[in-house]
Amino acid sequence: MKRTQLLTKTTKNLPADETSKNAQLLIQAGYIHKEMAGVYTYLPLGLRVVEKIKQIVREEMNKINSSELIMTNLQPADRWQETHRWSDEVVDIWFKTRLKDETELGLAWSHEEAVINMMRGQITSYRDLPVSLYQFQAKLRNELRAKSGIMRGREFVMKDMYSMHATAEDLATYYDQAIEAYKRVYDRLGIGDDTYVTFASGGAFTKFSHEFQTVCEAGEDILYVHREKNIAVNEEVLEEACEELKIDKSELEKVKSAEVGNIFNFGTDKSKDMNFTYADDQDQHQHVYLGSYGIGITRAMGVIAEKFSDEKGLIWPKAIAPYQIYLVSIGEQGSREADKLYQTLTDQGVEVLYDDRDIRPGQKFADAELLGIPLRITVSDRLVEQSKYEITNRKTGENSMLTFTELADTLGTHV
Amino acid sequence: MKRTQLLTKTTKNLPADETSKNAQLLIQAGYIHKEMAGVYTYLPLGLRVVEKIKQIVREEMNKINSSELIMTNLQPADRWQETHRWSDEVVDIWFKTRLKDETELGLAWSHEEAVINMMRGQITSYRDLPVSLYQFQAKLRNELRAKSGIMRGREFVMKDMYSMHATAEDLATYYDQAIEAYKRVYDRLGIGDDTYVTFASGGAFTKFSHEFQTVCEAGEDILYVHREKNIAVNEEVLEEACEELKIDKSELEKVKSAEVGNIFNFGTDKSKDMNFTYADDQDQHQHVYLGSYGIGITRAMGVIAEKFSDEKGLIWPKAIAPYQIYLVSIGEQGSREADKLYQTLTDQGVEVLYDDRDIRPGQKFADAELLGIPLRITVSDRLVEQSKYEITNRKTGENSMLTFTELADTLGTHV
């Protein structure tokens, strides 16, 4: 993509009410646009990052035999009444609306009830189990406050997965597979080392649920971690968990963190509420076991923007960067050579954002840093004379002068 | 994908209130699930079709230099009040909801106002124009009735594109390019021959807008067509259009049709309402010209399901079929051979749905037909003995017995 064809410009203007670092950086670099508090448009650059995160999550969910589908925002009341989660007093984040005939509808903030309502028509026998399904969906949540940029959205992309099982053991096994899949996701997103599977409150259903918490200054949660033992506990269950883990509170380090994933073992509670059963091999009706597994896709993007950035701008991990290379041309000869290099690289499928604008080199360099593309390649008149390309690593700041062959080697492309 | 791993089964049970053919077929074949009237979940098979249609549209929009982004469902009132489209009396399909502090929000049924509100912060000079952007987004529309299955949804996927220009001429040129891009889309979807660019009412903005109408018995519109002259006119503007086209009404054939696309030339009307201007080369403020271009992705899928189906089920065009091949195994030896063929084909990237279930052949054949996969390959004990594969064309019903080499030739795969 050429910068002259890119829809958006970088900007120094920020919405007056935008106080979060992730949204400030992403707005300045042209990744997102703020519609209102907690509601953001994903511009072409931002959409590329979202899609890359989704693809990583998709591959890992497919590996544990989950099937992708897409459910709906509009939710009839009946199925949510069965589990007593329709009431605004029980669930205080519903957005609701009305049909012309005044029938009240909800806008989905999660999909357990919708999934059970659908699958109780599909699953009849133990032979139909286990089943796992997931979606990427724009969830709507009526948050009282939304001041954390894309880390807490009123409208945000979530991967939500639901698994259904004949027995508690089968659910437990899958639940562990899901934990491993989630770990692979965070590793691939570049936040694996700072992300902990934590003991969190299970609400009414289980003693503990599991959260995936990433150490992050901008996070809204408090975590107690033991880095060597790889243990992390949420503040709300600290006493209980320490007892359970036979660990003293004083051994734990207190850090701020952001929840990037949350998984629940619902057991048969929801299936009992909704009469979701299967016939076992004795033809007896049994309740289905349900697991629920969420990853906030756009929240993860916000956490990564917070963690991997400096005073100059964003620093994307390679796996989710919108482009791999920011190509800067300087001067007439430099531009001719950069045109050629752009063609060569894009022909080979390398994702290049080519700053072909007629502006000062300093502005191009500043944009390269603000946008956070992993590698910058500079082609100038002076470098062309030396038959050299300058390559700069956004993360380390390392600079090298390479011949074309060395450049191709570095990028893993063919000359 | 193996049928034993597919989330959904085919079914004979239909929701009592489902009267449309497209939804009946798609529910029976396991492509969609009905949440409520006009609101459908897209199951794994259905999602594959949706994604294929989206990819075709994406490629054609990219070809006319439009950039993909994703905007939001939640819409603040202010920008819609500027154009007087916030009122439920002016726009009678709004779904609205409220924040905790009682602020009213809309749920997007279109995005012109959102686009202008965003872009008036980006576009300052004539050098920033033209610009075109598009998205695939789940639109919400509060339809009074929703009885046409996925052809008229209260929640549905739409591709909406918006283009901004410095002059009327530049918009006109792009508008024509968009018409050509739309024609390529419908050709690739397999409905090109039956889809007409029609003269429709332009509302307050222009004398005529253009609709893309596909001849379809289940359609809600009436079209007057002249097949040789490739002219089509909507009923509502028949008199006027005949005059304009110098054609007699009696020459036109009356058919039922479904709108699969709609494009509008808004001129500078909306920009004037919203004070959306750029500085021209004399540094004078001028209003931006706006075009708006929609394709109902899920509606197109519904139209295709209606048109390409028979009493046995769906008949997908190759380009959007969820899988290219429905592989049926019969008997023990047949299963072993089918296992191998499944591996060989999937390794080469051929999309195969493999019916590996332990059920009667007749049930497998019936499912192959109901699902509408373009080619069925049968591998039975008897065929293995003859070293033959049976290949059946869903559309034509043609049957051939092929050797492995002939099969590979037919499929364009390597042996």
Side-chain angles (χ1 to χ4, degrees):
Chain A
M1 171 66 73
K2 294 182 179 177
R3 265 313 286 273
T4 47
Q5 289 168 0
L6 192 69
L7 187 67
T8 48
K9 302 185 248 186
T10 55
T11 177
K12 292 207 166 71
N13 297 329
L14 282 174
D17 62 345
E18 187 58 76
T19 53
S20 85
K21 185 169 89 171
N22 67 80
Q24 286 179 347
L25 281 167
L26 291 165
I27 290 170
Q28 286 180 324
Y31 284 76
I32 62 173
H33 169 77
K34 185 174 196 166
E35 299 290 341
M36 54 174 278
V39 182
Y40 297 88
T41 280
Y42 288 77
L43 298 164
L45 285 174
L47 182 61
R48 288 181 76 98
V49 177
V50 171
E51 289 299 325
K52 288 194 174 190
I53 298 175
K54 280 168 65 178
Q55 186 55 28
I56 287 172
V57 174
R58 178 178 287 126
E59 287 169 14
E60 297 300 339
M61 298 309 110
N62 289 349
K63 270 187 210 158
I64 55 172
N65 296 318
S66 197
S67 298
E68 187 175 353
L69 47 66
I70 179 94
M71 305 196 74
T72 66
N73 273 125
L74 293 173
Q75 294 287 319
D78 53 7
R79 57 217 60 173
W80 295 88
Q81 282 159 344
E82 292 179 49
T83 60
H84 315 288
R85 294 213 292 185
W86 179 252
S87 157
D88 295 327
E89 273 143 51
V90 176
V91 174
D92 64 355
I93 50 165
W94 273 116
F95 278 115
K96 288 183 179 161
T97 188
R98 283 177 190 281
L99 288 175
K100 298 270 181 210
D101 67 3
E102 293 298 318
T103 305
E104 206 179 21
L105 298 177
L107 293 155
W109 54 274
S110 190
H111 277 88
E112 283 85 2
E113 281 75 354
V115 165
I116 293 181
N117 179 61
M118 177 173 78
M119 294 307 290
R120 63 187 168 186
Q122 290 275 335
I123 289 170
T124 50
S125 146
Y126 69 96
R127 291 188 197 85
D128 299 329
L129 293 168
V131 157
S132 178
L133 54 87
Y134 73 97
Q135 63 177 345
F136 296 100
Q137 211 248 358
K139 294 276 180 293
L140 300 175
R141 291 190 180 174
N142 201 346
E143 302 280 358
L144 184 59
R145 281 177 203 86
K147 292 175 180 283
S148 300
I150 63 169
M151 285 174 63
R152 180 173 293 278
R154 286 179 166 133
E155 179 167 348
F156 62 97
V157 181
M158 181 162 155
K159 185 283 301 176
D160 42 332
M161 180 169 81
Y162 306 90
S163 77
M164 285 144 271
H165 307 265
T167 64
E169 296 69 41
D170 197 56
L171 171 51
T173 305
Y174 193 79
Y175 192 89
D176 287 341
Q177 285 177 24
I179 290 180
E180 294 308 311
Y182 271 45
K183 286 183 186 168
R184 290 195 298 273
V185 165
Y186 301 119
D187 280 343
R188 292 178 64 182
L189 293 181
I191 52 176
D193 287 347
D194 276 342
T195 300
Y196 292 89
V197 188
T198 74
F199 289 84
S201 160
F205 306 108
T206 52
K207 193 164 172 196
F208 299 113
S209 70
H210 288 96
E211 287 180 358
F212 293 80
Q213 289 274 359
T214 306
V215 177
C216 175
E217 263 311 299
E220 295 174 344
D221 294 328
I222 300 289
L223 204 64
Y224 289 83
V225 301
H226 193 302
R227 292 189 191 254
E228 282 108 79
K229 291 191 180 164
N230 199 29
I231 285 173
V233 177
N234 278 28
E235 193 166 39
E236 67 206 32
V237 295
L238 185 57
E239 303 294 338
E240 266 182 294
C242 281
E243 217 167 286
E244 183 107 357
L245 295 163
K246 294 185 178 53
I247 203 166
D248 193 83
K249 227 170 72 176
S250 65
E251 295 175 61
L252 302 173
E253 179 191 348
K254 184 178 175 183
V255 295
K256 292 183 83 174
S257 69
E259 181 201 315
V260 291
N262 199 340
I263 64 181
F264 293 93
N265 180 335
F266 281 110
T268 55
D269 289 7
K270 287 209 171 294
S271 299
K272 281 174 182 157
D273 284 344
M274 296 183 71
N275 194 27
F276 181 25
T277 64
Y278 68 94
D280 67 17
D281 56 3
Q282 310 294 314
D283 216 24
Q284 299 296 305
H285 284 284
Q286 305 289 352
H287 286 104
V288 174
Y289 286 80
L290 180 77
S292 166
Y293 316 79
I295 292 182
I297 300 294
T298 41
R299 176 181 289 188
M301 177 172 164
V303 169
I304 292 165
E306 290 274 346
K307 286 180 72 77
F308 303 126
S309 49
D310 58 21
E311 71 289 347
K312 293 172 183 167
L314 297 154
I315 308 175
W316 293 112
K318 205 169 143 44
I320 61 166
Y323 293 90
Q324 296 303 315
I325 289 167
Y326 195 94
L327 177 60
V328 169
S329 63
I330 302 175
E332 262 184 59
Q333 258 200 294
S335 291
R336 271 197 300 278
E337 202 56 36
D339 283 351
K340 274 197 277 179
L341 183 62
Y342 174 68
Q343 203 55 54
T344 306
L345 293 176
T346 49
D347 283 352
Q348 293 189 46
V350 182
E351 297 166 319
V352 182
L353 185 57
Y354 174 20
D355 198 337
D356 59 334
R357 295 174 300 172
D358 188 18
I359 56 170
R360 286 184 300 105
Q363 280 182 286
K364 296 190 182 189
F365 293 153
D367 265 15
E369 286 169 328
L370 177 57
L371 265 63
I373 312 297
L375 293 177
R376 188 186 84 206
I377 298 178
T378 309
V379 188
S380 69
D381 289 352
R382 189 176 50 80
L383 286 161
V384 171
E385 277 170 36
Q386 302 164 20
S387 299
K388 287 283 169 85
Y389 300 83
E390 184 185 44
I391 186 160
T392 311
N393 185 307
R394 173 65 180 97
K395 191 173 163 191
T396 63
E398 272 178 296
N399 233 8
S400 349
M401 300 295 173
L402 303 179
T403 63
F404 187 68
T405 318
E406 289 165 343
L407 180 69
D409 268 359
T410 306
L411 303 177
T413 53
H414 306 288
V415 179
Chain B
M1 170 66 72
K2 294 181 177 178
R3 262 317 281 276
T4 47
Q5 290 169 1
L6 193 68
L7 187 68
T8 48
K9 303 184 249 187
T10 54
T11 177
K12 291 205 166 74
N13 297 331
L14 282 174
D17 62 344
E18 188 58 77
T19 54
S20 84
K21 184 170 91 171
N22 66 80
Q24 286 179 348
L25 281 167
L26 291 166
I27 290 169
Q28 287 179 324
Y31 283 77
I32 62 173
H33 169 77
K34 185 173 195 167
E35 299 289 340
M36 53 175 279
V39 181
Y40 298 87
T41 280
Y42 288 77
L43 298 164
L45 285 173
L47 182 60
R48 287 180 77 97
V49 178
V50 171
E51 289 299 326
K52 288 193 176 190
I53 298 176
K54 280 167 64 177
Q55 186 55 27
I56 287 171
V57 175
R58 178 178 288 127
E59 287 169 14
E60 296 301 339
M61 298 308 111
N62 290 348
K63 270 187 211 158
I64 56 171
N65 295 318
S66 197
S67 298
E68 188 176 352
L69 47 66
I70 179 92
M71 305 195 74
T72 66
N73 273 127
L74 293 173
Q75 294 287 319
D78 54 5
R79 58 216 62 172
W80 295 88
Q81 282 160 344
E82 292 179 50
T83 61
H84 315 288
R85 295 213 291 184
W86 180 252
S87 159
D88 295 327
E89 273 144 52
V90 177
V91 174
D92 65 356
I93 50 163
W94 273 116
F95 278 116
K96 288 183 181 163
T97 188
R98 283 178 191 280
L99 288 176
K100 297 271 182 211
D101 66 3
E102 293 298 318
T103 305
E104 205 177 22
L105 298 177
L107 293 154
W109 54 274
S110 189
H111 275 89
E112 282 85 2
E113 281 74 353
V115 165
I116 292 180
N117 179 60
M118 177 173 77
M119 294 307 289
R120 62 186 167 185
Q122 289 275 337
I123 288 171
T124 50
S125 145
Y126 69 96
R127 290 187 197 87
D128 299 328
L129 293 169
V131 158
S132 178
L133 54 88
Y134 73 98
Q135 64 178 344
F136 296 99
Q137 212 248 357
K139 294 276 181 294
L140 300 175
R141 291 189 181 174
N142 201 346
E143 302 280 357
L144 184 60
R145 282 177 202 84
K147 291 176 181 281
S148 300
I150 64 168
M151 284 174 65
R152 181 173 293 278
R154 288 178 165 133
E155 179 167 348
F156 62 98
V157 181
M158 181 163 155
K159 185 282 301 179
D160 42 331
M161 180 169 82
Y162 307 91
S163 76
M164 286 143 269
H165 307 265
T167 64
E169 295 70 40
D170 197 56
L171 170 52
T173 305
Y174 193 79
Y175 191 90
D176 287 342
Q177 284 177 24
I179 290 179
E180 293 308 312
Y182 271 43
K183 286 183 185 168
R184 291 194 298 271
V185 165
Y186 301 118
D187 280 343
R188 293 179 64 183
L189 294 181
I191 52 175
D193 286 349
D194 276 343
T195 300
Y196 292 89
V197 187
T198 75
F199 290 84
S201 160
F205 306 108
T206 52
K207 195 167 173 194
F208 299 113
S209 69
H210 288 95
E211 287 179 358
F212 293 80
Q213 290 273 359
T214 306
V215 177
C216 175
E217 265 310 299
E220 295 175 342
D221 294 328
I222 300 288
L223 204 63
Y224 290 82
V225 301
H226 194 301
R227 292 187 192 255
E228 282 107 82
K229 291 190 180 164
N230 198 29
I231 285 172
V233 177
N234 279 29
E235 193 167 36
E236 67 205 35
V237 295
L238 184 59
E239 303 292 339
E240 265 182 294
C242 281
E243 217 167 287
E244 183 107 357
L245 295 162
K246 294 187 179 55
I247 204 164
D248 194 82
K249 227 169 71 175
S250 65
E251 296 176 60
L252 301 174
E253 177 192 349
K254 184 180 175 181
V255 295
K256 292 182 83 172
S257 69
E259 182 202 312
V260 290
N262 199 339
I263 63 181
F264 293 93
N265 179 335
F266 281 110
T268 55
D269 289 6
K270 289 211 169 292
S271 300
K272 280 174 183 157
D273 283 343
M274 295 184 72
N275 195 26
F276 181 24
T277 64
Y278 68 94
D280 67 15
D281 57 3
Q282 311 293 315
D283 215 24
Q284 298 295 304
H285 283 284
Q286 305 289 351
H287 286 104
V288 174
Y289 287 80
L290 180 78
S292 166
Y293 317 79
I295 293 182
I297 299 295
T298 41
R299 175 180 290 187
M301 177 173 164
V303 170
I304 292 165
E306 290 274 347
K307 286 181 72 77
F308 303 125
S309 49
D310 58 21
E311 69 291 347
K312 292 172 184 168
L314 297 155
I315 307 173
W316 294 113
K318 206 170 141 43
I320 61 165
Y323 293 91
Q324 296 304 313
I325 289 168
Y326 195 94
L327 177 59
V328 169
S329 64
I330 302 175
E332 264 185 56
Q333 260 200 293
S335 289
R336 271 197 301 275
E337 201 56 38
D339 283 351
K340 274 197 277 179
L341 183 62
Y342 175 66
Q343 202 55 54
T344 306
L345 293 176
T346 49
D347 284 351
Q348 293 188 47
V350 182
E351 297 167 317
V352 183
L353 185 57
Y354 173 20
D355 199 338
D356 58 335
R357 294 174 301 173
D358 188 16
I359 55 171
R360 286 185 299 106
Q363 280 183 285
K364 295 189 183 188
F365 294 152
D367 265 16
E369 284 168 329
L370 177 56
L371 265 62
I373 312 297
L375 294 176
R376 187 187 85 206
I377 298 177
T378 308
V379 188
S380 68
D381 290 351
R382 189 176 50 80
L383 286 162
V384 171
E385 277 170 35
Q386 302 166 19
S387 299
K388 286 284 169 83
Y389 300 83
E390 184 186 44
I391 186 160
T392 312
N393 186 307
R394 173 66 181 97
K395 191 173 164 191
T396 62
E398 272 179 295
N399 233 9
S400 347
M401 301 293 174
L402 302 179
T403 64
F404 187 69
T405 318
E406 289 166 344
L407 180 70
D409 267 359
T410 306
L411 302 177
T413 53
H414 306 288
V415 180

